[in-house]
Amino acid sequence: VTSLVVGWVAWAVIPGLPLAAAFALGAVVSPPDAVAATTIARRVGMPRRLVSILEGESLLNDATALVGLRTAATAMSATAVTVWSISGGFLLAVGGGLLIGVAAAVLMGVVRRRVRDPVLDTTLSFVAPFVAYLPAEAIHASGVLAVVVAGLLLGHKSPVIQSASSRLSEQINWRTVQFLLENAVFLLIGLQVSDTVRAARDLDISDRRTILVCVAVLLATIGVRIGWVFAVTAAYRLGPRRMRERAWQWRYAALVSWSGMRGVVTLAAAFALPEQTPHRDLLVLAALAVVGGTLLVHGTTLPWLVRRLGLPGPNPAEDALEEAA
């Protein structure tokens, strides 16, 4: 939904921008960053259920966004584009990624059940993404989606297929890798910001129009998330009894709708736009504005909102009992 809405907004405010390129920008800015949201969430005591939802949402939306970006890039490079060809490529990317991800998770699960050495088990966890990614890419499916599916399944089954010492070892190692990769990407892209701004100013677009584009894309990105979360919450609360029983409180909806910071995936995807993309430098600058804007707006106000809504955080006593167990 974010990809489509932001794409239409970008197409409307950037003169001469092809629709495929606009949807590419929408796909770039659509996935939220789990690290940014959950880091703040844990510090301010956000309910753990919401933290888990934000983490899972980010994983699946990262994959969905990259599939959408690939589809838009294909539409830009193709001489003749039809709805059927684009739909077929999208279905292959999604369906193939799901199937291979499940197959990779089953295969790695069988292997890891028989491994009890924490060092070897952690090594296998670094192999698992390649077991899912490479076969998916070989059949032109989404390798990213395959990795996400395999990771979710293996993570969900980790208490069954891994020992406690293996899980602790794996968690510490992956947190270190995540820290290094996240910061390396932000550093490398930060070094390119000045060149991006300079290239965008060299386009045949006024500075006022450039600022308008960045602000419009930022507001659309924030607004569509708020509208979607509250609309779905209202649908559940006004729907049949089974839906009403599962409906969120309005306070939960407000918190989730305001936890849409963008981060490393948006930055990396923006710079992965094909060189022949029309107005590429302006699109990259708009994506940077979304990342900076959401981190600034949401990141500085989310702690205040959590305190204002008065949602119950994790119970320290229950956490101590779980850790002891």
Side-chain angles (χ1 to χ4, degrees):
V1 172
T2 301
S3 297
L4 294 174
V5 173
V6 173
W8 280 109
V9 170
W11 178 74
V13 297
I14 301 178
L17 183 69
L19 202 53
F23 286 144
L25 174 63
V28 165
V29 302
S30 61
D33 183 37
V35 176
T38 56
T39 298
I40 296 175
R42 291 193 177 101
R43 288 178 180 173
V44 300
M46 187 183 291
R48 190 162 289 137
R49 181 188 177 207
L50 291 188
V51 176
S52 298
I53 288 173
L54 292 174
E55 289 175 336
E57 175 206 7
S58 176
L59 281 173
L60 291 175
N61 280 350
D62 286 352
T64 305
L66 293 177
V67 171
L69 177 58
R70 174 194 286 187
T71 305
T74 302
M76 284 188 287
S77 60
T79 55
V81 178
T82 66
V83 173
W84 296 112
S85 64
I86 295 299
S87 300
F90 187 84
L91 290 176
L92 173 62
V94 174
L98 288 172
L99 291 176
I100 292 179
V102 172
V106 172
L107 175 62
M108 294 303 298
V110 171
V111 174
R112 298 181 74 175
R113 280 178 184 271
R114 290 162 171 75
V115 175
R116 285 292 174 258
D117 179 20
V119 175
L120 181 56
D121 197 25
T122 302
T123 304
L124 286 173
S125 76
F126 286 104
V127 175
F130 297 96
V131 172
Y133 183 86
L134 295 176
E137 288 295 318
I139 66 169
H140 304 291
S142 172
V144 175
L145 187 56
V147 172
V148 167
V149 171
L152 286 173
L153 292 175
L154 289 172
H156 183 64
K157 291 294 184 181
S158 62
V160 177
I161 63 179
Q162 292 180 264
S163 64
S165 56
S166 293
R167 295 201 306 275
L168 290 174
S169 173
E170 179 182 334
Q171 183 181 29
I172 292 171
N173 279 279
W174 273 104
R175 284 177 62 186
T176 304
V177 171
Q178 176 180 295
F179 173 81
L180 292 174
L181 290 178
E182 288 269 349
N183 287 277
V185 171
F186 270 104
L187 175 63
L188 292 173
I189 293 176
L191 294 174
Q192 300 181 61
V193 169
S194 60
D195 291 337
T196 302
V197 174
R198 192 178 303 112
R201 296 192 67 180
D202 290 340
L203 297 173
D204 295 330
I205 298 178
S206 65
D207 291 346
R208 180 179 297 180
R209 172 68 66 169
T210 300
I211 295 173
L212 171 64
V213 169
C214 293
V215 172
V217 172
L218 173 61
L219 293 179
T221 303
I222 295 175
V224 70
R225 181 180 179 87
I226 296 173
W228 173 264
V229 172
F230 275 96
V232 172
T233 302
Y236 267 79
R237 295 183 72 89
L238 300 175
R241 180 180 177 182
R242 290 183 62 183
M243 293 180 64
R244 292 199 302 272
E245 292 173 351
R246 300 175 57 191
W248 282 350
Q249 300 177 24
W250 291 112
R251 295 185 300 168
Y252 278 62
L255 198 54
V256 170
S257 69
W258 201 247
S259 301
M261 286 86 81
R262 268 57 176 180
V264 66
V265 174
T266 293
L267 290 174
F271 283 95
L273 286 170
E275 291 293 335
Q276 68 273 16
T277 304
H279 300 295
R280 180 182 184 276
D281 294 314
L282 181 58
L283 300 184
V284 173
L285 183 61
L288 292 174
V290 169
V291 173
T294 54
L295 288 175
L296 181 64
V297 173
H298 295 321
T300 56
T301 58
L302 193 59
W304 171 84
L305 182 63
V306 172
R307 292 191 296 268
R308 184 77 175 180
L309 294 175
L311 293 172
N315 189 324
E318 291 181 0
D319 289 348
L321 290 174
E322 289 285 348
E323 185 174 356

